[in-house]
Amino acid sequence: MIRRRTALSVSAVALLAGAPALTACGSTAHPGAAAVVGKERITVTQLQSQVSDVRDAQRSSPQAQQLIAGSSRLGQDTLIRLIQYRIVERAGEDNGIDVTRRELQEQRTAVERANGGADAVRTRFLGLGIAPDQIDQALTMDITRAKLDAKFGTVRTNDILMRTSDKLHVDVNPRYGVWDPKRGTAQPVLEPWLRQAVQPVPDGPA
């Protein structure tokens, strides 16, 4: 049984900056791919489609100007998130972790209750560069990471994620940066492994 995190934590998709720059070059052996994770290609077309979905949703929001200004590196951030999803998913599969539809629905309901309702949550996710139809995937990865933490502890889970990244031989198109399995990121986004995006909402008065 894992402890439910009812805030908009989205630990698997945090977009926090501040790490040292990376200088190595990626591979160009996969034309048309933004990245290759294991045997799976994330094509430039797929990436651009997700970015377009986010931008369309942001433009239709009353907070459009703020949301767009806050996600100026949306292409790079989105690609890193897609890579992280695949790594977290594979780590879960390799370690007997799965997420049921019921668990996902309960998590989404809890997140919405703790963060001002469905509309407010959609806006918060848009601020992270995640379109409404991508929210369930983000929450699924968050639950998977929480289950890994509960089973192994944070330190060991981080090691599992790094080893999973190595095993999948993540290869990023140099246009988007260079993958660093130790940090779970690529230049120029520079966020370390799966840090929490929003602090949990307290359960009650202190």
Side-chain angles (χ1 to χ4, degrees):
M1 188 75 180
I2 63 169
R3 182 178 181 271
R4 294 287 180 203
R5 288 181 290 176
T6 57
L8 184 58
S9 59
V10 199
S11 61
V13 293
L15 303 177
L16 303 180
L22 306 174
T23 58
C25 294
S27 169
T28 57
H30 307 285
V36 179
V37 184
K39 296 181 179 180
E40 182 178 1
R41 290 162 53 92
I42 302 172
T43 69
V44 172
T45 299
Q46 289 170 331
L47 175 61
Q48 290 174 340
S49 177
Q50 287 225 0
V51 170
S52 293
D53 287 347
V54 174
R55 283 293 186 230
D56 288 345
Q58 288 177 336
R59 291 188 186 101
S60 66
S61 169
Q63 292 83 34
Q65 185 174 0
Q66 178 181 352
L67 291 171
I68 293 171
S71 55
S72 60
R73 297 184 298 199
L74 183 58
Q76 291 89 343
D77 291 346
T78 299
L79 178 60
I80 286 178
R81 182 165 55 250
L82 292 174
I83 294 170
Q84 289 180 338
Y85 284 172
R86 285 154 175 79
I87 293 170
V88 173
E89 182 179 37
R90 178 63 175 272
E93 291 173 354
D94 288 349
N95 290 280
I97 301 295
D98 63 359
V99 177
T100 67
R101 185 66 196 174
R102 180 175 179 178
E103 287 175 323
L104 174 59
Q105 187 57 55
E106 288 176 350
Q107 179 77 344
R108 182 153 186 170
T109 298
V111 166
E112 290 174 353
R113 185 180 297 120
N115 290 275
D119 288 343
V121 167
R122 283 193 290 269
T123 299
R124 297 282 291 279
F125 272 101
L126 279 175
L128 294 171
I130 300 171
D133 64 356
Q134 300 164 9
I135 292 175
D136 281 355
Q137 186 180 25
L139 291 177
T140 297
M141 293 303 101
D142 194 48
I143 297 170
T144 301
R145 172 63 201 252
K147 286 188 172 186
L148 286 166
D149 283 344
K151 186 172 183 177
F152 299 110
T154 301
V155 173
R156 188 175 173 193
T157 295
N158 285 339
D159 182 63
I160 288 170
L161 292 170
M162 286 187 285
R163 287 190 284 108
T164 301
S165 177
D166 281 335
K167 181 169 61 178
L168 291 173
H169 303 292
V170 178
D171 183 14
V172 176
N173 186 319
R175 171 182 175 185
Y176 299 101
V178 182
W179 186 253
D180 180 356
K182 292 183 178 180
R183 299 190 62 80
T185 189
Q187 182 187 358
V189 180
L190 308 177
E191 80 275 21
W193 257 121
L194 311 178
R195 288 169 60 183
Q196 188 165 307
V198 179
Q199 293 298 316
V201 175
D203 293 331

